[in-house]
Amino acid sequence: MLETAGENEPIATAAITSAREVPTMSKSARKRLLKQQLLEARKTERKAAEKERRRKDLERRRREWDDKLTCASEEERVRLVESRKEMRRERMERKTDDRGKRAERLRRSAEIGQKVVIDLEFSGLMSSGEIQSLAHQILYCYAANGKCESPAHLWLTGCKGEIGTQLQRISGYDKWIIEKEEKSYIEQFQDQKEKLVYLTADAENTLEELDDSKIYIIGGLVDRNRWKGITMKKANEQGIQSARLPIGDYVKLASSQVLTVNQVFEILLKFLETRDWKNAFFDVIPRRKRGTVDTECGDTVNVAKIERECNEASEAEITEDRGEEDEFDNVLGTKKQRSELTTDDADLIETADDTNVADDNKT
């Protein structure tokens, strides 16, 4: 249902106008385009609202701290300041310890981890904005892998050109414990070609289990459905195996069965942890992307419809349930440009988890 009043009126009007500017499109294609534009506009609004909420929350906590110091005696002020410094020291020690453990897990994954490749040879088919979106998704992949107790052995192949430049802009990227290769995966694994398995929604074979000896490839493409079937075609031309995730066996998606790069990667991580596809899909795929699911009593529930109806209430509950951040946390993040990213500490993993649900660009 379109928003036609209040703050959302310009968004709906702009989206409708844009959709009508393409007369060669079929009616269903125009509806898909309109829906996509509305979702993107609302996503931008939500991000702006969240940024404003964080700014106001930071200002409020600073005022409360200043008032607390003002009302305290000199002796009490010294005690409060020292207590805060000690808390920050302890937090930094925990972060340093967590960072060390994460690095050790990632190094160990190079020896025993499941090999997963992100194929970055599609840069020529994407716009600059889509390439930047792909860089974000790769960041989320790295963050999720570092959080995992049994991380995968993650490879980036074809890592050059504009996507290589975008990745280099990520603060800390040079220190990532990950395999980065300018060569293609075919060149890199030329003596292991029989082990390569391209994951694509167009494959006939369904992936029932993950084989430790196999090397699974995820196409690094944000195509918005312009290049349907391109990864399947590439696998066939190269004579390598292909497979699709068994999504349809467990979840009926509301639209396309194509997921973002980081969603596919996180599904693989979750399956490695649980060996349960259903658990992996429901843990990673956002509820709004699910269409209908069958309940144990045989009823069909329209998850997407329920999600739309409860959207405002859910977001309000999420905001209320969020724990109070330290008053100095995320200060730098609010001042950075949108294109700048950081992998400084464990906060990145939390940020990646939250943003993963919001990023709807398709690979």
Side-chain angles (χ1 to χ4, degrees), residues 43 76 119 335:
K43 180 176 70 174
E76 182 67 11
D119 174 18
K335 294 181 180 179

Side-chain angles (χ1 to χ4, degrees), residues 201 244-248 251-253 255-259 362:
R244 59 182 172 83
L245 298 178
I247 299 175
V251 181
K252 295 179 183 179
L253 297 186
S255 54
S256 170
Q257 292 201 14
V258 181
L259 303 174
K362 294 185 178 179

Side-chain angles (χ1 to χ4, degrees), residues 203 239 298 349:
I349 296 173

Side-chain angles (χ1 to χ4, degrees), residues 91-200:
R91 188 175 68 253
M92 292 305 298
E93 288 174 1
R94 287 197 301 271
K95 288 183 177 180
T96 301
D97 184 55
D98 291 342
R99 192 180 299 119
K101 291 178 179 178
R102 185 166 68 245
E104 179 58 32
R105 291 197 301 270
L106 291 171
R107 293 190 186 96
R108 189 174 66 250
S109 71
E111 302 174 3
I112 62 174
Q114 174 74 63
K115 284 187 174 63
V116 178
V117 174
I118 299 180
D119 174 18
L120 303 180
E121 295 185 88
F122 297 106
S123 294
L125 304 179
M126 295 183 285
S127 66
S128 295
E130 289 169 338
I131 291 174
Q132 185 179 25
S133 177
L134 176 59
H136 279 73
Q137 293 179 29
I138 293 170
L139 170 64
Y140 305 148
C141 289
Y142 182 71
N145 205 35
K147 184 179 180 181
C148 186
E149 286 300 320
S150 299
H153 185 191
L154 185 57
W155 291 70
L156 302 179
T157 61
C159 190
K160 56 185 177 181
E162 189 172 353
I163 183 60
T165 301
Q166 286 286 354
L167 290 170
Q168 286 291 342
R169 294 177 64 185
I170 300 176
S171 178
Y173 171 74
D174 292 336
K175 298 178 182 179
W176 281 14
I177 304 173
I178 191 176
E179 309 291 350
K180 310 164 190 171
E181 291 289 342
E182 291 190 358
K183 295 185 293 184
S184 68
Y185 57 83
I186 283 290
E187 295 176 288
Q188 180 63 38
F189 301 104
Q190 55 184 331
D191 57 342
Q192 303 180 64
K193 189 175 178 180
E194 72 283 356
K195 297 181 180 180
L196 297 175
V197 181
Y198 214 116
L199 300 180
T200 169

